[in-house]
Amino acid sequence: MGEPMIEIKGLCKSFETKNGRVDALQNIDLTIGRGDIFGVIGMSGAGKSTLVRCMNQLERPDRGQVLFDGVDLCALPAKELRQARRQMSMIFQQFNLLEQRTALQNVCFPLEIAGEPKENARARGRELLQLVGLTEREGAYPAQLSGGQKQRVAIARALSTNPKVLLCDEATSALDPTTTASILALLQKINRTLGITIVIITHEMSVIEEICNRVAIIDRSAIAECGRVDEIFQNPQSEAARKLVYPEGRAARQLIGRRCLRIVFDGSSSFEPVIANMVLACKAPINILFANTKNIEGRAFGQMVVQTPEDQALVERMIRYLHAQNLTAEEVSGYVE
C-alpha cells in the first residue's frame, strides 16, 4: 500500500431510534492508499453506507478521526470542511440527476455553484462527457438516457471539480450485469488515467473482485478483515470473509460423513493435472463438488471444493501435497450443493 489518502482512526457512530440506540460503527480503523481502488463490502445493515458518509462528513462521527490527505476532517470548521469536500466527490445508486437539465447541464452544475464562468464550465463538461463516452448525448435529458448512461453522467459530474477521491455508494446496484461491467471498466480507466483514489461500497463480491486491489469487510458495525483482494480470496480469516469468498457465497456447514477441501489456484498452474496427480500420489479418490474461476485484478484465480476420504492422516497428506505445489488448500467442515 502506498502513501495514505484516507486514514480512519477509532471511528464510532451511533443513532438514536424509537427502539433505542443503534451502534452503526464501532472503533473503525482503516487506511486507504493514494491511487487505490478500495472496496468496502458487507451485508445490508452492516454499516458500510454509514462509513462512507462519515468519510466525507455527511455524517459526523461520535468519536474518532477521518484524515483526508493528512487533514482531520472532524476538526475542520464548516467553511474549511466545505472546501475539503470538493476534493471528495460521490456517486450514488439512484444517480441523483436533475431531471430538468440536460446531460451537459448536469455535469456543469457543480462548477456553476462554485462560480466558474459559464464557457469554462461548458468546456469542462464536454471534456468529461467525452471521457465517459457520452459526447453525442450532451443535449439529452435524464428521461432520455438508459441507466448506464445516467450513471456515466453522474460520474462525469462527480469529476467536474477535479476531486482526489471518488466515493461510490452501491453505484452499480441498480444496473444489469453488462452495464455494471461497463461502469466498472470506466471507473478503472478513471483510476488509471487520472490517478483518482476510488472507494467502492457494495454488497457484491463480484464487484470487489473485478476492479478493487484492497478490500475491507465490515460485519456487525466493525471491520472483520482487511487486506489485498487476492490474499483474502485465497485465505479468508474471518467468518464474514469466508461467507463472501466460498463458492456461491455459501459458508461451509457441518455434514455427517463429509470432509471437504477448498483448493485455490492463481492461474500460474492448471488445477486438473494437479488434482489428478494428487489422487495418484495419495492413492485415494476424491469427489469434485464445485469448481470455478474468477478474474481478480486481471489475474485468473480459481477455486475447487472436493469431498475427501474420512481418514485424517490421508487428508493431511493431500493438503501437504497441494501446499508443495504452491496451492492454497484448507479443510472445510462440509459443503452444500
Side-chain angles (χ1 to χ4, degrees):
M1 185 177 63
E3 178 186 356
M5 174 59 77
I6 298 173
E7 292 180 273
I8 297 174
K9 300 180 180 181
L11 189 141
C12 298
K13 178 64 180 179
S14 62
F15 297 97
E16 293 296 335
T17 72
K18 63 181 181 180
N19 297 320
R21 174 174 161 168
V22 174
D23 291 323
L25 297 171
Q26 301 181 58
N27 296 313
I28 301 294
D29 292 309
L30 204 59
T31 300
I32 298 171
R34 189 182 302 274
D36 273 353
I37 304 182
F38 191 98
V40 178
I41 188 169
M43 304 302 289
S44 296
K48 57 188 184 296
S49 289
T50 301
L51 176 58
V52 75
R53 289 172 65 85
C54 285
M55 285 184 191
N56 62 5
Q57 301 292 288
L58 290 178
E59 294 285 356
R60 288 294 229 178
D62 300 333
R63 295 190 305 278
Q65 294 179 296
V66 178
L67 301 177
F68 173 55
D69 209 9
V71 176
D72 185 4
L73 299 183
C74 300
L76 291 181
K79 182 178 179 180
E80 292 181 29
L81 178 59
R82 286 195 297 271
Q83 292 174 342
R85 278 196 185 126
R86 293 192 65 194
Q87 298 299 305
M88 193 182 292
S89 290
M90 195 166 185
I91 59 174
F92 305 88
Q93 178 180 353
Q94 297 302 330
F95 321 128
N96 292 352
L97 300 180
L98 298 171
E99 294 294 331
Q100 303 305 315
R101 283 176 164 254
T102 65
L104 179 59
Q105 289 169 340
N106 267 282
V107 176
C108 292
F109 187 60
L111 296 173
E112 293 173 13
I113 293 175
E116 191 74 24
K118 183 176 180 179
E119 287 308 310
N120 291 353
R122 290 176 69 84
R124 175 64 174 158
R126 290 194 171 100
E127 176 186 331
L128 290 170
L129 285 175
Q130 181 179 19
L131 175 67
V132 301
L134 288 180
T135 298
E136 297 179 358
R137 302 293 283 161
E138 71 169 55
Y141 290 90
Q144 299 170 313
L145 301 173
S146 68
Q149 289 171 334
K150 290 177 185 178
Q151 195 59 283
R152 287 173 181 268
V153 173
I155 291 170
R157 180 182 60 187
L159 296 175
S160 64
T161 57
N162 294 309
K164 295 179 181 178
V165 172
L166 187 60
L167 303 176
C168 308
D169 189 5
E170 299 281 8
T172 60
S173 294
L175 306 175
D176 62 76
T178 301
T179 307
T180 292
S182 70
I183 293 298
L184 294 178
L186 174 60
L187 291 173
Q188 198 167 44
K189 173 186 173 182
I190 288 167
N191 170 260
R192 290 174 175 171
T193 58
L194 303 181
I196 294 175
T197 302
I198 297 178
V199 180
I200 293 180
I201 307 298
T202 183
H203 64 276
E204 299 174 283
M205 193 62 189
S206 59
V207 170
I208 299 294
E209 292 166 344
E210 183 70 25
I211 66 168
C212 295
N213 60 306
R214 298 185 70 244
V215 63
I217 298 169
I218 188 166
D219 183 46
R220 300 175 189 175
S221 307
I223 300 297
E225 194 164 343
C226 183
R228 288 192 54 84
V229 175
D230 55 355
E231 292 172 353
I232 288 179
F233 175 80
Q234 291 184 74
N235 189 23
Q237 298 296 306
S238 64
E239 182 63 22
R242 286 190 287 270
K243 287 180 179 179
L244 289 166
V245 304
Y246 277 11
E248 306 302 316
R250 292 171 288 197
R253 295 194 296 176
Q254 182 66 45
L255 295 178
I256 297 174
R258 281 197 180 185
R259 303 188 69 166
C260 299
L261 289 179
R262 176 177 179 261
I263 305 162
V264 180
F265 66 98
D266 66 0
S268 61
S269 63
S270 175
F271 61 80
E272 286 101 346
V274 171
I275 297 300
N277 291 339
M278 180 191 74
V279 169
L280 292 173
C282 298
K283 296 181 173 60
I286 55 97
N287 181 26
I288 298 175
L289 300 178
F290 181 94
N292 74 351
T293 59
K294 296 177 181 289
N295 185 340
I296 301 177
E297 286 192 273
R299 293 168 58 198
F301 281 80
Q303 61 180 329
M304 177 182 283
V305 177
V306 301
Q307 183 182 350
T308 66
E310 291 296 308
D311 188 303
Q312 178 65 28
L314 189 53
V315 173
E316 291 176 357
R317 184 179 175 189
M318 289 180 171
I319 292 174
R320 287 196 299 271
Y321 179 88
L322 293 167
H323 286 172
Q325 310 307 311
N326 296 317
L327 295 178
T328 299
E330 60 175 342
E331 188 172 1
V332 293
S333 58
Y335 178 75
V336 182
E337 284 292 333

